[in-house]
């Protein structure tokens, strides 16, 4: 975004369905050397994972900011990404050293703290979505732009809902991931989630939950641990949280408890809610004790490679087993393919196998749905709305609905193409 000679880059992610250079944003369309400030809203790969590449391997020489929790988790998540990526060494966009070097360059910002760089003033608000997620308000000579990143106005078990800024921006750049869809109420989704898992276990099956090690995984672990506590008959059934980073991830969550909602802070006064009673870390498939029904949460969330893919291939042909896809999955990933329940799937070795396991899509992805988006925009009433972060058809439908909603005002709504 450029205005009056100042240039800002919002977020710096990769496309999770691709690997190597193909996963990068269109960096060749911009001149990194002209960027004054890079603001990263949260740690998810599609918002942060090209940062080591961008900082180390392009002409960018500006400053980069994110919140404290985002920085802590960014480091872990990118280490995990490097470990589970199935690309050759020469196709790797960056290595562990690049991640560490990028950590030296990342500066942190507190929520509601105002900073100024080269005449660009900016501050941030809580965005919900994941721990540390921020919406950035940028002010250049009095013109204000709000960039939501990914946000959710629904409080869940551990996160606060997104804040509403106290004044209206001139331009609101807003995510459109779920377009005009409406989410089921949280308690309905939780019931479906625990019902599917309990009934699969009762039939002697395995449950695979493909999810990244950090983010929505913690919400699901809180739900599972509480459900197991309330069902003594499940106490001999193990739940594994499978990630080389499992223990370190939990330490970060325990550190940033004060950034979470009141419910979890109250629990923390008695005992640490992230110190799970029924969930065990699992480092690799070699450590997996395969002796009967169990629940395994494993990364990556798209089943492209890594432990979640290995377990999927072991379990996909038995109809007793289930795969619960707990969040938004990207076009081009195996997780997206199996939601439509094809008869067969292609294994990593190129052979095919029947897909007999049950596949359930129950989204906990904490993005705003249409109801949240339209309410948020009604409260802010920005004269200009720019839709981003959505699949073209969904975004088109959202645009039409918003045009109707704001018909009596002179609101400009644009949905720019991806380059």
């Amino acid at each position: 975004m450029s205005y009056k000679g100042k240039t800002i880059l919002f977020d710096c992610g990769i496309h999770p369905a691709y690997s190597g250079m193909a996963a990068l944003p269109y960096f060749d369309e911009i001149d990194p050397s002209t960027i004054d400030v890079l603001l990263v809203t949260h740690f998810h790969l599609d918002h942060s994972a090209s940062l080591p590449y961008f900082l180390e391997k392009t002409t960018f020489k500006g400053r980069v900011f994110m919140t404290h929790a985002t920085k802590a988790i960014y480091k872990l998540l990118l280490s995990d990404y490097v470990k589970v990526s199935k690309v050759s060494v020469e196709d790797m966009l960056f290595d562990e050293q690049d991640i560490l070097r990028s950590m030296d360059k990342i500066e942190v910002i507190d929520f509601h703290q105002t900073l100024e760089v080269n005449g660009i003033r900016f501050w941030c608000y809580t965005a919900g979505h994941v721990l540390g997620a921020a919406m950035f308000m940028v002010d250049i000579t009095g013109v204000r732009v709000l960039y939501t990143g990914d946000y959710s106005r629904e409080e869940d078990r551990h996160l606060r809902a997104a804040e509403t800024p106290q004044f209206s921006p001139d331009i609101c750049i807003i995510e459109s991931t779920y377009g005009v869809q409406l989410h089921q109420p949280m308690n309905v989704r939780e019931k479906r989630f625990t019902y599917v898992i309990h009934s699969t276990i009762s039939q002697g099956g395995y449950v695979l939950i493909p999810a990244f090690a950090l983010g929505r995984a913690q919400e699901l672990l809180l739900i599972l641990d509480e459900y197991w506590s309330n069902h003594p008959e499940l106490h001999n059934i193990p739940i594994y949280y499978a990630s080389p980073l499992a223990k370190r991830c939990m330490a970060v969550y325990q550190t940033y408890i004060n950034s979470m909602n009141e419910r979890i802070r109250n629990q923390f006064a008695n005992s640490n809610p992230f110190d799970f009673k029924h969930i065990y870390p699992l480092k690799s498939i070699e450590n997996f004790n395969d002796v009967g029904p169990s629940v395994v949460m494993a990364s990556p969330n798209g089943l492209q490679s890594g432990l979640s893919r290995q377990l999927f291939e072991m379990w996909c042909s038995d109809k007793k087993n289930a795969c619960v896809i707990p969040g938004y999955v990207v076009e081009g990933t195996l997780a997206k393919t199996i939601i439509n329940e094809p008869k067969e799937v292609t294994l990593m070795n190129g052979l095919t196998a029947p897909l007999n396991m049950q596949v359930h899509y129950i989204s906990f992805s904490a993005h705003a749905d249409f109801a949240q988006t339209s309410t948020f925009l009604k409260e802010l009433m920005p004269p200009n709305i720019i839709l981003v972060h959505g699949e073209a058809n969904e975004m088109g439908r959202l645009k039409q609905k918003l045009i109707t909603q704001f018909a009596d005002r002179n609101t400009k709504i644009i949905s720019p193409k991806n380059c």
Side-chain angles (χ1 to χ4, degrees), residues 50 56 106-107 169 212 234 240 242 274 283 329 347 367 376 384 411:
S50 62
E56 298 304 318
I106 295 166
E107 300 175 64
F212 267 112
L234 293 172
Y240 295 108
F274 292 106
K283 274 221 154 140
V329 278
L347 304 178
H367 287 273
F376 187 60
N384 301 282
T411 309

Side-chain angles (χ1 to χ4, degrees), residues 356-371:
N356 297 330
M357 81 191 308
Q358 307 295 309
V359 178
H360 302 271
Y361 175 58
I362 308 169
S363 179
F364 291 88
S365 70
H367 287 273
D369 65 354
F370 177 71

Side-chain angles (χ1 to χ4, degrees), residues 3 9 14 61 79 130 137 146 148 162 200 204 208 215 217 225 276 306 350 352 354 361 377 379 382:
Y3 183 64
L9 182 63
I14 51 132
K61 46 188 188 299
S79 304
V130 289
M137 184 78 84
L146 179 70
T148 64
T200 304
L208 172 63
D225 204 50
F276 298 118
T352 58
Y361 175 58
L377 290 170
E379 286 171 12

Side-chain angles (χ1 to χ4, degrees), residues 288-332:
F288 179 52
N289 190 5
D290 195 352
V291 291
S294 60
V295 179
V296 184
M297 185 179 297
S299 63
N301 68 335
L303 299 171
Q304 308 91 304
S305 57
L307 188 58
S308 63
R309 177 62 169 258
Q310 292 172 301
L311 293 169
F312 173 80
E313 295 199 354
M314 280 164 52
W315 297 342
C316 69
S317 298
D318 187 337
K319 66 177 190 298
K320 285 206 307 276
N321 301 332
C323 179
V324 179
I325 294 167
Y328 189 81
V329 278
V330 181
E331 286 295 341

